[in-house]
């Protein structure tokens, strides 16, 4: 079974369709397939969930230099899961509603811009921008680390995420 990880950080205009780098996939709002149980991705999701309380507290009371608070949620499907980024989002306890900010691939009744209800247990990752740099987005960091060094640097420079590379 495959997990489908959405790697886009922001919605951008479509790039060349034949491109295969991580930056090109992100520019096309494309996806990366990751095997279910991938140890690095599992660890990234665990890290994001461990920091979720602090993230939510920050989202409730952001600093002047903090913006674009987003969550990535797991949407189970019949034989795999699709992960979607939502921004903005609001919460009521462990229940949330957010706006889908990437293109769902396998969910026929959901599109970019639609609102989606989800629960805390569905959150697999989170991110926000602080002083122009991305904080969080641990699942993308796993994918970035698998790219050649020049692609990692290009992704960092394009999207403001460095993942400690």
């Amino acid at each position: 079974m495959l997990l489908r990880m959405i790697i886009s950080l922001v919605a951008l205009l479509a790039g060349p369709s034949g491109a295969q780098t991580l930056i090109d996939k992100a520019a096309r709002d494309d996806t990366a397939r990751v095997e279910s149980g991938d140890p690095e991705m599992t660890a990234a999701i665990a890290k994001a969930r461990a920091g979720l309380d602090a993230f939510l507290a920050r989202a409730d009371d952001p600093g002047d230099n903090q913006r674009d608070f987003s969550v990535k949620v797991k949407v189970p499907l019949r034989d795999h899961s699709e992960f979607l980024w939502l921004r903005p989002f609001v919460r009521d306890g462990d229940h949330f509603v957010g706006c889908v900010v990437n293109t769902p691939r396998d969910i026929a009744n959901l599109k970019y811009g639609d609102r989606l209800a989800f629960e805390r247990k569905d959150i697999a990752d989170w991110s926000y921008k602080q002083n122009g740099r991305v904080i969080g987005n641990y699942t993308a960091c796993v994918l970035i680390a698998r790219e050649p060094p020049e692609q990692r640097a290009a992704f960092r420079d394009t999207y403001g995420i460095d993942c400690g590379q």
Side-chain angles (χ1 to χ4, degrees):
M1 178 186 296
L2 290 177
L3 292 177
R4 203 167 200 194
M5 302 300 294
I6 303 299
I7 61 169
S8 66
L9 298 173
V10 294
L12 300 172
L13 296 175
S17 61
Q20 294 300 314
T21 69
L22 193 59
I23 286 179
D24 295 326
K25 285 183 177 186
R28 289 192 323 268
D29 191 19
D30 207 348
T31 62
R33 292 190 181 271
V34 177
E35 291 291 329
S36 180
D38 178 287
E40 293 172 311
M41 196 60 71
T42 299
I45 291 170
K47 184 175 183 178
R49 287 183 174 158
L52 186 57
D53 286 333
F55 166 78
L56 291 173
R58 190 166 290 116
D60 286 343
D61 188 25
D64 292 338
N65 61 346
Q66 298 170 334
R67 62 182 178 84
D68 296 339
F69 288 83
S70 307
V71 291
K72 181 188 270 187
V73 300
K74 179 179 180 178
V75 180
L77 301 170
R78 189 176 330 184
D79 60 349
H80 66 284
S81 296
E82 187 164 353
F83 289 78
L84 302 172
W85 281 102
L86 300 134
R87 179 183 73 237
F89 63 90
V90 294
R91 69 178 170 141
D92 180 13
D94 286 343
H95 302 279
F96 299 77
V97 176
C99 185
V100 177
V101 292
N102 57 274
T103 304
R105 300 294 189 249
D106 296 327
I107 306 170
N109 61 342
L110 192 64
K111 65 184 182 310
Y112 184 100
D114 283 352
R115 292 170 51 88
L116 180 68
F118 59 99
E119 295 181 18
R120 180 187 178 96
K121 67 177 181 55
D122 301 320
I123 299 173
D125 203 352
W126 50 264
S127 73
Y128 64 96
K129 285 193 174 178
Q130 180 172 304
N131 297 324
R133 304 299 297 169
V134 173
I135 308 297
N137 205 345
Y138 301 107
T139 54
C141 289
V142 170
L143 300 174
I144 293 166
R146 294 175 179 175
E147 292 293 306
E150 65 278 1
Q151 286 300 312
R152 291 194 301 261
F155 203 89
R156 179 195 64 231
D157 295 344
T158 301
Y159 293 105
I161 185 169
D162 67 24
C163 304
Q165 302 291 326

